[in-house]
């Protein structure tokens, strides 16, 4: 079936109130349906919603336990909440080919055993994939004339020169995944292992 896609808002919109889609106020939306076709569509809608919500609020790593208490998985107005088991099912679906691999469990335990609940408490949400983030970072480096320069990981993530780019404040682990893409492409080299490590762009 056709995938629901998440709209990525322009940079700097995270201070605005997120506009939930109409189906977020539809009580059955919070209970995964037994019919396979209906559930597939429901999972696609949840995936789109999670991506849009995380993009709007600049959430790169989603804690399910915390999210269950927030507006994403809990609509207090209709007294409906997605339970933890269902939230894990949604993220499992997002992390597979049917979900376009738009999520990835943060722990190695969860990645190694998709059929168990152990370790499935937080996930990277790829409203942009690491490859897409890598393109943005490299485009900024190239556009600001810094190819050949050495920048620290901290400068790239938090520095004044980087300004308020979409990746500003990204978790270091996820940011390094993006840099690894550039390393594999032969466009960057990383020196060191800490946040102060240097990155040279070619």
């Amino acid at each position: 079936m056709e995938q629901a896609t998440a709209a990525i808002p322009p940079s700097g919109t995270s201070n605005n109130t997120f506009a939930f889609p109409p189906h977020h106020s539809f009580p059955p939306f919070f209970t995964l349906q037994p019919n396979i076709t209906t559930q597939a569509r429901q999972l696609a809608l949840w995936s789109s919603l999670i991506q849009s919500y995380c993009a709007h609020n600049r959430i790169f790593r989603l804690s399910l336990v915390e999210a269950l208490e927030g507006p994403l998985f809990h609509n207090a107005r209709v007294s409906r909440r997605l339970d933890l088991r269902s939230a894990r099912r949604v993220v499992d679906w997002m992390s597979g080919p049917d979900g376009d691999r738009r999520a990835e469990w943060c722990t190695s335990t969860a990645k190694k055993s998709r059929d168990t609940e152990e370790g499935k408490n937080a996930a990277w949400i790829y409203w942009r994939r690491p490859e897409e983030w890598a393109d943005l970072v490299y485009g900024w480096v190239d556009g600001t004339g810094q190819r050949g320069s050495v920048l620290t990981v901290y400068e790239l993530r938090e520095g004044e020169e980087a300004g308020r780019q979409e990746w500003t404040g990204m978790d270091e682990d996820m940011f390094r995944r993006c840099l690894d893409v550039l390393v594999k492409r032969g466009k960057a080299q990383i020196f060191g292992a800490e946040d102060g490590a240097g990155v040279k762009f070619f």
Side-chain angles (χ1 to χ4, degrees):
M1 69 179 286
E2 184 180 350
Q3 296 292 330
T5 56
I8 298 175
S11 179
T13 62
S14 59
N15 290 330
N16 299 329
T17 301
F18 179 75
F20 283 95
H23 51 263
H24 191 258
S25 295
F26 185 51
F29 183 59
F30 292 85
T31 302
L32 294 185
Q33 302 302 302
N35 179 276
I36 295 176
T37 302
T38 304
Q39 186 181 110
R41 177 60 181 162
Q42 188 179 15
L43 291 169
L45 288 172
W46 269 112
S47 175
S48 177
L49 173 58
I50 290 170
Q51 289 178 64
S52 296
Y53 182 86
C54 288
H56 182 92
N57 292 290
R58 301 176 58 78
I59 297 171
F60 303 98
R61 181 183 183 276
L62 183 68
S63 166
L64 296 191
V65 174
E66 291 177 8
L68 289 176
E69 301 302 320
L72 176 59
F73 291 142
H74 180 206
N75 187 331
R77 190 169 63 84
V78 295
S79 300
R80 290 293 184 273
R81 184 196 306 270
L82 195 70
D83 61 53
L84 181 58
R85 185 181 183 88
S86 297
R88 284 169 170 164
R89 171 73 181 100
V90 171
V91 175
D92 267 341
W93 186 87
M94 291 176 67
S95 67
D98 289 341
D100 205 22
R101 303 196 186 283
R102 286 291 175 177
E104 181 180 348
W105 292 110
C106 291
T107 64
S108 57
T109 302
K111 286 188 288 185
K112 289 178 181 177
S113 183
R114 291 173 55 84
D115 296 329
T116 67
E117 299 299 290
E118 184 182 359
K120 293 184 176 181
N121 297 314
W124 304 117
I125 302 300
Y126 294 144
W127 37 281
R128 291 194 193 276
R129 292 188 184 86
E131 295 80 8
E132 295 170 319
W133 285 117
D135 290 339
L136 285 177
V137 172
Y138 192 79
W140 175 79
V141 169
D142 188 37
T144 53
Q146 298 187 83
R147 286 173 58 185
S149 302
V150 176
L151 301 171
T152 66
V153 172
Y154 178 82
E155 286 176 319
L156 289 165
R157 290 176 56 235
E158 305 284 356
E160 290 183 11
E161 243 186 278
R164 191 64 179 171
Q165 302 299 321
E166 287 188 63
W167 64 81
T168 301
M170 180 185 290
D171 299 74
E172 184 182 353
D173 287 345
M174 187 169 176
F175 191 74
R176 282 182 173 271
R177 286 170 179 244
C178 306
L179 293 177
D180 286 342
V181 172
L182 295 176
V183 170
K184 291 176 182 176
R185 292 176 180 172
K187 293 185 174 181
Q189 183 177 359
I190 301 175
F191 306 91
E194 302 299 327
D195 198 33
V199 186
K200 184 173 184 178
F201 295 92
F202 307 108

